[in-house]
Amino acid sequence: MQLLDGKALSLEIEAKVKEEVMILTSSRGVTPGLAVILVGSDPASQAYVNMKAKACKRAGIYSITHEMPESTTESQLLNAISILNNDPNIDGILVQLPLPKHINTAKVLEAIAPHKDVDGFHPQNVGRLTSNLGGFAPATPMGVMRLLQKYGIDPQGKNAVIVGASNIVGKPMASLLLNANATTTLCHIYTKDLASHTQNADILCVGVGKPNLITESMVKKGVVVIDIGINRLEDGSLVGDVDFASVAPKCSYITPVPGGVGPMTIASLLENTLKAAKTRQETPQS
Ligand code: GUN
């Protein structure tokens, strides 16, 4: 069994982004800019937003964080996005999810200019990903693909099974694996006999948010396990969705939690922001 070291790969990617940012700045006078909008004061979201801002700083990417109160109205949020859509110094806009219940998330995500949608959540980018037409892919599944690539794991012809069908993780993960020619199964809360699917997986990606959802009897020997879950237990420790102690010995590769997929999400966001900045002058402002 070998660990898929997301921490190490994320540092490699960060260094490469930093170098490319310097080249972009010196050759074209463009410094990539990311705007992060946080509505409310959910501690986990605050922690993620802080990590994103720090990573930008390390990579030489200009970033601003808009902290808006829980009571922000939908139209106030739409207005903030509109200003950022028209801000020439901002290449990427990220609205941290989840949003408060009184705000229509779909409407907000659709208001972000598709060429600044570094999270890949705008329906235009979702459609481009589904049709394998480029655009921005969501950071977490993109990070997973980078990890597989780094360790020479080619999804082509493999049985890839994804557990969890969220818009942020499971669905784009399925699109990316399908685009990489895996036979792809997407399992979710209504899936009957989950184990019968997971036992068939050559590559198993799990992003549900339930500790110990995947146990030893649910996987076959030699499986590649990608644990996308992050759960904080009562004792303060962080665990994924996979019972690491019992499952790891059966795996060819497995991601640790923490230090697996988590750091890759942030590295992919930096990559997407750099990519947006590279097209800054070629895209009309909207
Ligand atoms: N909330 C949980 N994951 C994400 C993410 O990747 N992007 C945003 N914007 N919000 C999230």
Side-chain angles (χ1 to χ4, degrees):
M1 181 275 292
Q2 199 183 341
L3 286 178
L4 297 168
D5 189 342
K7 182 73 198 153
L9 179 55
S10 73
L11 291 175
E12 248 177 63
I13 291 173
E14 217 177 275
K16 213 158 98 204
V17 169
K18 184 175 178 172
E19 197 180 309
E20 286 198 47
V21 167
M22 285 194 300
I23 293 169
L24 190 65
T25 305
S26 60
S27 65
R28 289 179 37 205
V30 170
T31 299
L34 175 70
V36 177
I37 301 179
L38 173 63
V39 184
S41 52
D42 173 59
S45 289
Q46 271 175 332
Y48 288 131
V49 164
N50 287 339
M51 283 195 281
K52 289 169 185 177
K54 279 189 191 156
C56 281
K57 196 159 185 190
R58 290 195 300 269
I61 292 173
Y62 163 71
S63 85
I64 50 169
T65 303
H66 270 288
E67 294 201 30
M68 304 177 82
E70 181 84 19
S71 59
T72 302
T73 64
E74 189 175 285
S75 77
Q76 284 169 330
L77 180 54
L78 292 172
N79 191 47
I81 290 170
S82 168
I83 291 167
L84 294 167
N85 281 343
N86 291 299
D87 185 336
N89 294 315
I90 294 298
D91 301 289
I93 303 169
L94 181 154
V95 177
Q96 187 64 31
L97 302 179
L99 288 169
K101 290 206 166 37
H102 64 276
I103 295 177
N104 181 336
T105 300
K107 197 170 166 186
V108 167
L109 295 177
E110 205 163 352
I112 298 171
H115 65 283
K116 295 193 177 189
D117 173 37
V118 287
D119 249 337
F121 295 161
H122 188 286
Q124 184 173 308
N125 283 314
V126 176
R128 294 191 78 91
L129 177 62
T130 308
S131 303
N132 202 7
L133 291 173
F136 293 109
T140 298
M142 190 174 146
V144 171
M145 297 308 284
R146 290 271 186 278
L147 260 182
L148 294 176
Q149 199 180 20
K150 174 72 184 179
Y151 285 84
I153 303 160
D154 182 2
Q156 180 160 301
K158 303 244 166 65
N159 291 333
V161 177
I162 300 138
V163 183
S166 68
N167 289 337
I168 295 178
V169 174
K171 287 183 203 167
M173 191 74 254
S175 293
L176 285 168
L177 285 164
L178 199 52
N179 291 346
N181 302 324
T183 302
T184 304
T185 305
L186 184 49
C187 301
H188 46 74
I189 189 100
Y190 296 107
T191 297
K192 286 179 192 151
D193 193 3
L194 179 63
S196 70
H197 296 280
T198 58
Q199 280 158 353
N200 196 33
D202 300 311
I203 301 173
L204 177 63
C205 303
V206 191
V208 174
K210 260 194 196 168
N212 298 323
L213 177 68
I214 304 297
T215 52
E216 181 269 335
S217 64
M218 295 171 76
V219 300
K220 71 176 180 190
K221 202 163 179 309
V223 64
V224 175
V225 168
I226 308 289
D227 192 345
I228 311 174
I230 302 181
N231 309 289
R232 196 170 287 282
L233 301 182
E234 276 180 13
D235 66 3
S237 61
L238 277 181
V239 298
D241 292 346
V242 176
D243 176 18
F244 188 91
S246 75
V247 171
K250 284 182 93 172
C251 297
S252 54
Y253 296 90
I254 185 168
T255 54
V257 178
V261 175
M264 292 303 299
T265 296
I266 295 190
S268 301
L269 172 66
L270 300 180
E271 284 194 300
N272 275 349
T273 305
L274 173 65
K275 175 172 155 175
K278 283 181 175 171
T279 64
R280 187 187 277 195
Q281 270 120 15
E282 294 152 34
T283 44
Q285 302 299 316
S286 59

